[in-house]
Amino acid sequence: MLVAAFLAFAGLCLFVNGVRLYCSEGHHTERLVSAKDAAIVNLFTAVLGFICMSHILNPANSAAYSPLSAVYLGLFALTYFWVGVNAFTGSDGRALGWYSLLVACIAVPAALTNLRVAEQVFDYWQVVSWLSWAVLWFMFFLLLVLNKPIARLTGLVSAVQGVLTALLPALLYFWGVI
């Protein structure tokens, strides 16, 4: 249940970050979300992620969770923490971009591993989600390191993925649908 709560907040966080990026290109400046304003949801989600990692790594929960789950969750938690901290430090995000490249390279094998053992619809959702997250992290590399002019596209992808790959599945879980 704790991990599903993290998933819900990760979806909200991706959506807010997506809106911030989408509006940052000057098309909807009246709707612009400041980096410091978005940092609040990033830092909250990161702390929740670190709590979930501790829960997963607790030896009492070793039968229910794989330590790899904590590592995967940590990829998200550190991303959100980094985005939140960057908003307050004024960092340009290049190091986050390089980190995002490595995480994208981790997300692809995670998707393939999930595909190999997939049996139910939710398992296949995880495969698609990991692949889509790999694309998003790679887009952050392109945006932050290579300075490609894809902020609006990255924002749109982030907002949509936040709803479809995180918030909606978490809500379906809480509603007892999955």
Side-chain angles (χ1 to χ4, degrees), residues 30-96:
E30 72 279 359
R31 296 184 198 143
L32 183 62
V33 176
S34 76
K36 287 182 181 178
D37 198 17
I40 303 305
V41 72
N42 280 281
L43 293 173
F44 177 85
T45 304
V47 169
L48 182 57
F50 296 141
I51 291 168
C52 288
M53 288 176 63
S54 297
H55 175 74
I56 291 169
L57 293 173
N58 182 334
N61 298 319
S62 63
Y65 297 104
S66 158
L68 188 56
S69 299
V71 172
Y72 287 157
L73 199 144
L75 297 174
F76 290 91
L78 182 55
T79 301
Y80 299 134
F81 182 75
W82 207 327
V83 170
V85 169
N86 280 356
F88 290 106
T89 64
S91 173
D92 64 10
R94 266 187 243 136
L96 175 60

Side-chain angles (χ1 to χ4, degrees), residues 106-175:
I106 294 168
V108 172
L112 297 175
T113 300
N114 280 312
L115 180 61
R116 191 181 59 208
V117 298
E119 295 177 356
Q120 300 174 8
V121 172
F122 186 73
D123 300 330
Y124 290 102
W125 164 84
Q126 285 184 306
V127 172
V128 171
S129 292
W130 274 112
L131 291 174
S132 64
W133 295 328
V135 168
L136 183 59
W137 267 305
F138 186 69
M139 291 175 81
F140 279 112
F141 166 74
L142 295 174
L143 180 68
L144 297 171
V145 175
L146 301 182
N147 296 314
K148 298 293 182 185
I150 59 169
R152 280 179 58 95
L153 178 60
T154 305
L156 180 64
V157 170
S158 180
V160 170
Q161 282 189 18
V163 172
L164 296 180
T165 67
L167 181 59
L168 182 61
L171 292 174
L172 292 174
Y173 173 80
F174 286 123
W175 294 335

